[in-house]
Amino acid sequence: MNDKKQQTNSAWGGRFSEQTDAFVEAFTASVQFDQRMYRQDIAGSRAHAKMLNKIDILSDEDLQRILDGLDKVELEIAEGRFDWSIAREDVHMNIEARLTELVGDAGKRLHTGRSRNDQVATDIRLYLREQIDFIDMEIKRLQQGILDVAEREAETIMPGFTHLQVAQPVTFGHHLMAWYEMLKRDASRFSDCQQRMNMSPLGAAALAGTSYPIDREFTASELGFDAPTQNSLDSVSDRDFAIEFCASAAILLTHMSRMSEELVLWSSAQFDFIELPDRFCTGSSIMPQKKNPDVPELVRGKTGRVNGHLVSLLTLMKSQPLAYNKDNQEDKEPLFDTVDTVSGCLRAFADMIPAIICKQDNMYKAAKQGFSTATDLADYLVRKNLPFRDAHEVVGSAVAMGVSTGKDLSELTLEQLQTFSDRIEADVFEVLTLEGSVQSRNHIGGTAPQQVRKAIALARKGPGNL
Ligand code: ARG
């Protein structure tokens, strides 16, 4: 950063009789963080300059100087040679001032018919639009990894839980495909939000539009927007698209925190269902035996800050009168941190999930505990014409015997089972096995390996599914 005093307030010096207080200058600046939108800002300036030329406000020569100058500025920034200045407040004024240094008066003509208010609204939309493409790719990479593991583990039996108590046996592939579905909705939320934000605020100027005969359709299409926004006040003041982005991110991270929690539980000695490869774990500096699931723990923890950023933006916008207010400058840090956090979490997960080591025997043993086939026994009795409520009662008594004798339902003898109902016959043992139980749930969305494979196949080929 180069804070040359003579640069201070050059953008509005005319109205002012003293320099900005040095602290206030730094306090009000945003260049420290908004410089990350430099490519979008330059793209917006190119489109605006071409439009000014098209409507004969800017000569061909000036346009050429501006375009050449912007190319130079972009290169300087990309190569780390750009001298960012706090005195020039934000990315927009830094770039414009440097352009003017490079090309003289033509640079001073660029801001005709535009304001930083429509400029920043444009930049953020362009920036988020691009970031969503990247996030979308990472979600798909993670989904791909989940599909691969789900395919490998389509037949692997584990306990399914409700209330974190063993409920019914499920296949591990089925459990993973639940994660896949959650992510599918997350991706579609980002894509909805991307579609809605793809409108061009450029031309709204400070708040009321401009007296020049600007061509907003032209700039919109130059920048790949679907159309210009319809109301200038709304264009410069609202940040609902940023809120939507953060809401989508908060839901995604909330989903990932649930996955994380399961990974943490499953890799504990008590569950011992999976092992995370060493490269995704860390040890303890004092306890030599420890291998900690840091990656899922951190992702679980980072959900807090992403949820917090959503609340920041909602609170930032609450009660703001139209149109632009400086408050809006506070949108960027939460937004950028959301982008970084989501990208990091997705990357870590997409790398880690395919490498999970599954301990099938332990999962199987755990599914055998907790009477996970009790519902299957009730369903069996219903098929033998006992009303479900009565069947529930019968099975409850059988479970009580299992608890007192320390046996699973499948380990009770036929004679023992028949003391609860004479409808129970030798074929009961087919439904009391874990395999029989999962096989029988053979319908769309059910846990049978066959259905899991169908769901995977659908996900792999269906347009919009992956
Ligand atoms: N840095 C400002 C922001 O992030 C740009 C717009 C400033 N506009 C203004 N009238 N002060 O919102």
Side-chain angles (χ1 to χ4, degrees), residues 12 28-31 33-34 37 89-93 115-121 124 206 239 324-332:
W12 53 76
T28 53
S30 57
V31 65
F33 44 84
D34 66 15
M37 301 192 299
E89 194 177 314
D90 55 25
V91 62
H92 324 292
M93 296 206 291
S115 152
R116 281 184 295 152
N117 297 353
D118 59 343
Q119 208 177 338
V120 70
I124 307 173
R239 294 290 182 269
Y324 177 86
N325 302 284
K326 182 78 168 182
D327 311 42
N328 282 4
Q329 184 164 291
E330 283 290 302
D331 62 357
K332 285 168 207 64

Side-chain angles (χ1 to χ4, degrees), residues 149 152-153 156 172 176 263 266-268 271-281 291 351-363:
V149 185
R152 271 204 315 269
E153 309 295 343
T156 306
F172 188 37
L176 291 169
L263 293 171
W266 293 343
S267 57
S268 69
F271 275 79
D272 204 18
F273 287 1
I274 60 161
E275 192 179 336
L276 297 173
D278 287 358
R279 64 184 185 282
F280 296 103
C281 299
K291 175 171 156 183
D351 290 348
M352 180 182 68
I353 295 297
I356 290 179
I357 300 147
C358 174
K359 299 184 171 175
Q360 297 169 338
D361 291 349
N362 294 349
M363 288 186 173

Side-chain angles (χ1 to χ4, degrees), residues 221-268:
S221 107
E222 278 287 301
L223 293 168
F225 285 119
D226 294 330
T229 50
Q230 287 299 316
N231 182 291
S232 62
L233 295 166
D234 173 49
S235 308
V236 293
S237 70
D238 212 348
R239 294 290 182 269
D240 57 354
F241 61 92
I243 297 176
E244 270 193 65
F245 174 84
C246 286
S248 308
I251 300 174
L252 167 67
L253 260 280
T254 300
H255 280 160
M256 291 179 74
S257 79
R258 302 186 67 189
M259 300 171 196
S260 298
E261 174 72 4
E262 294 187 325
L263 293 171
V264 170
L265 284 174
W266 293 343
S267 57
S268 69

